Each structure stands twice: as C-alpha cells, then as structure tokens.
Amino acid sequence: YAERGEAAADGRETPPQILEHIQKQLDILSHSIGQIDEQELAGEEECVFWDVKAWYALGNYYLRKLHAAIELLIYERSGDGERKEHGISLLREAVLFWKELSLIGSQHYLPYYMARVEQTFGWGYYLREVERDVTRAEKVSPIGAENHGIGEYNPGEWSGF
C-alpha cells in the first residue's frame, strides 16, 4: 500500500480502511462516554466508566500510532516531507492520549509486577518510551538516502507499543 497508494487487487483491507473502522468505533465510544454523568456514578459503575475511558484513550493512541506509521512509510518511499511531518504530528497526538491513559491509570489502577518480564506495569512508567517514538520518527529518511532509517537500533530504547 505504501508504495502504490491503493488497495490490493484481491480486495484486502487497506490501511486507510482499517483506520476508518477504528475511528468509527472510537466515535461510538466517545458518544457513549458523553452520555454518562460522572457525578451519578459510584462503586462498580464508576470503575467500569474509568475502564471505558482508559480504552478510549488507548484506542486513540493506537489509531494515531498506526496512522503515523503509514505516513512515515509513505514518506520513506516518496520523500514527501509533508507525510513525514504529518506522521510526527500524529505521534505527538498519540503522546497526549498516552498521558491521558497514564493519568487514568494512576488514579484508578494499581501498578503490578510482571514476573515473566521482570518489570512493573503502569501506563505512566512507559511515557518516556512513547515520547521516544517521536524522536525516532524525526530521524526517518527516504529510502536511498545516505542516512536512511531510524538510526542505530537499540532494543532498550525502542518502544514495543
């Protein structure tokens, strides 16, 4: 898709169609959240409400991250600097949604230790890595350029999200 800018002949979904589907679901979620009076919630209802708000923030984060990846791939292949700037802008928006998710998480969830990976999980703990995605995107260059890519790969620095 990034090279042709069009759908595959076999009818598979295109990245823009996937983004559109995700956006439609987020719009429904946003409308639902807007119908709820937070002041009237208590107990389990309040917990569910904050769960839904967290999913909304996470969904918006991934929507922007996926869209940014598409923009950056097109930039790599076309050299169109506007695509790169749009991708970076989308990643900056993704950071804002991650911050919202982190705030919800800090007020509603307890961090927990993940023994398998020997790390403590809480969304706020990963903010620096999410912000680093913007820095990495700024380094992307077109294919064929002398400094093509995102620079030296260091798994400890790259966000796995």
Side-chain angles (χ1 to χ4, degrees):
Y1 173 83
E3 293 170 354
R4 294 185 319 276
E6 59 188 45
D10 63 7
R12 287 179 288 171
E13 283 184 304
T14 64
Q17 289 169 327
I18 294 168
L19 292 174
E20 183 180 335
H21 177 71
I22 295 168
Q23 184 62 63
K24 284 179 183 178
Q25 299 307 308
L26 289 169
D27 290 346
I28 291 168
L29 199 51
S30 176
H31 178 74
S32 298
I33 290 169
Q35 299 297 309
I36 298 170
D37 181 359
E38 294 177 49
Q39 303 305 316
E40 294 183 16
L41 300 176
E44 188 175 337
E45 288 177 339
E46 184 178 12
C47 289
V48 170
F49 175 76
W50 286 108
D51 287 344
V52 171
K53 286 192 76 151
W55 277 109
Y56 179 75
L58 187 61
N60 272 288
Y61 164 79
Y62 278 115
L63 174 70
R64 281 154 182 80
K65 184 144 176 161
L66 177 59
H67 193 170
I70 294 165
E71 293 295 309
L72 293 168
L73 284 170
I74 291 171
Y75 163 70
E76 278 188 319
R77 283 150 181 80
S78 70
D80 181 349
E82 287 182 20
R83 300 306 283 260
K84 178 179 180 178
E85 291 308 312
H86 188 219
I88 291 168
S89 175
L90 288 163
L91 287 172
R92 288 186 178 124
E93 290 176 23
V95 169
L96 297 177
F97 280 104
W98 193 267
K99 287 180 178 180
E100 182 180 339
L101 179 63
S102 297
L103 179 62
I104 293 168
S106 70
Q107 295 174 346
H108 186 65
Y109 300 96
L110 294 173
Y112 61 91
Y113 183 73
M114 301 179 298
R116 184 175 57 84
V117 292
E118 298 180 355
Q119 292 181 342
T120 299
F121 179 81
W123 287 293
Y125 296 149
Y126 297 94
L127 177 58
R128 206 171 86 198
E129 290 186 33
V130 170
E131 292 172 330
R132 216 175 271 151
D133 288 343
V134 175
T135 305
R136 298 294 237 170
E138 291 168 342
K139 295 178 183 177
V140 172
S141 59
I143 292 174
E146 184 177 317
N147 61 341
H148 168 70
I150 57 171
E152 184 177 329
Y153 174 72
N154 179 342
E157 293 181 5
W158 185 246
S159 171
F161 303 103

